[in-house]
Amino acid sequence: MNFNTFAVSACAVTLSLTTASVALAQAAAPARPAAAPAAAPAVTHGPALANVCVVSIEAAIGGSTVGKYVDTRMQQIVAQVNAELGAEKTTIDNEAKTLDGQRTTLDQSALEKRASDLQVRANALQRKAQQRDREVSATEQKAIARVGQELEPLIRQIYQQRQCSLLLQRSAVVIANPAMDVTPQVVAALNAKITQFAFDRERLDQAQPAAGAR
């Protein structure tokens, strides 16, 4: 058995940003001009419909200062988690290499015992990585929910200011006259209300009841 191989394969621990965070980053990034000749032809819009408004929640969050802050903070949290898991993985990998080099000098029982112990640690690290992944996802969901709470009354306010009778989500609309889009006003209102808030990684292990607790 190659102990280095089993340890490495058991410890795929690197986390990445979840889908929502990637979507935020994409929404916040400036639009890239389409390469010719794939550019869509210009559209001539009819008159804006009175009292019909359009908004993009994703673009409002992603384009806001607080949305960009959440995305940056999530990247920091993911980097911290990867550093934690990576350090443990490196230790296990190094011990696996050492053990692999001692196959000819250790007796079989000692070799198997150390290999078994190393496998237990590798499995524990894999479980920790899975938990950290859940924690990162929970952290992001909570942060986005906080932004959503700040955003909801602003959308209602702008709905009334613009005297909208109908508000459509932009993702559900194929094409709409930009004059009906209230997203820029929503972003401006959100920027004026909040730019950042402190949050850290959720700790799911702390949320679990103690063993034997009822």
Side-chain angles (χ1 to χ4, degrees):
M1 172 184 289
N2 186 314
F3 301 107
N4 182 46
T5 300
F6 93 74
V8 171
S9 64
C11 299
V13 297
T14 302
L15 299 181
S16 61
L17 288 177
T18 55
T19 302
S21 212
V22 172
L24 277 180
Q26 292 174 343
R32 297 179 180 178
V43 174
T44 300
H45 299 281
L49 297 178
N51 309 115
V52 177
C53 303
V54 178
V55 68
S56 171
I57 304 298
E58 295 80 5
I61 295 177
S64 68
T65 301
V66 69
K68 294 173 184 176
Y69 164 79
V70 168
D71 186 65
T72 298
R73 179 67 183 127
M74 286 304 306
Q75 292 182 45
Q76 294 171 347
I77 290 173
V78 168
Q80 292 168 357
V81 169
N82 282 338
E84 172 197 3
L85 299 176
E88 293 187 39
K89 180 180 183 298
T90 298
T91 299
I92 293 175
D93 287 349
N94 288 341
E95 292 186 24
K97 291 177 183 177
T98 300
L99 185 58
D100 193 44
Q102 295 175 339
R103 285 183 298 171
T104 58
T105 58
L106 289 176
D107 64 80
Q108 189 63 27
S109 60
L111 189 66
E112 291 178 356
K113 176 63 168 60
R114 288 179 59 182
S116 177
D117 292 344
L118 196 60
Q119 183 67 69
V120 169
R121 290 169 57 193
N123 292 343
L125 179 57
Q126 184 68 33
R127 290 192 297 272
K128 178 185 283 191
Q130 293 169 350
Q131 176 169 306
R132 292 292 181 268
D133 187 57
R134 293 192 295 269
E135 290 175 343
V136 167
S137 179
T139 302
E140 185 176 59
Q141 291 174 12
K142 187 174 181 179
I144 296 301
R146 166 67 190 278
V147 177
Q149 290 174 355
E150 302 287 351
L151 189 63
E152 182 178 2
L154 300 178
I155 292 176
R156 294 179 181 274
Q157 175 184 319
I158 292 170
Y159 177 90
Q160 293 176 327
Q161 289 175 350
R162 289 286 297 265
Q163 298 183 334
C164 303
S165 297
L166 176 65
L167 181 62
L168 302 174
Q169 170 64 289
R170 196 166 71 190
S171 61
V173 177
V174 178
I175 302 176
N177 189 317
M180 298 159 56
D181 195 334
V182 300
T183 305
Q185 290 91 341
V186 172
V187 172
L190 185 58
N191 287 344
K193 184 179 183 182
I194 186 172
T195 58
Q196 65 181 51
F197 56 93
F199 68 94
D200 293 310
R201 190 186 84 237
E202 294 294 302
R203 312 287 173 146
L204 298 182
D205 51 348
Q206 297 179 359
Q208 297 298 321
R214 297 184 182 274

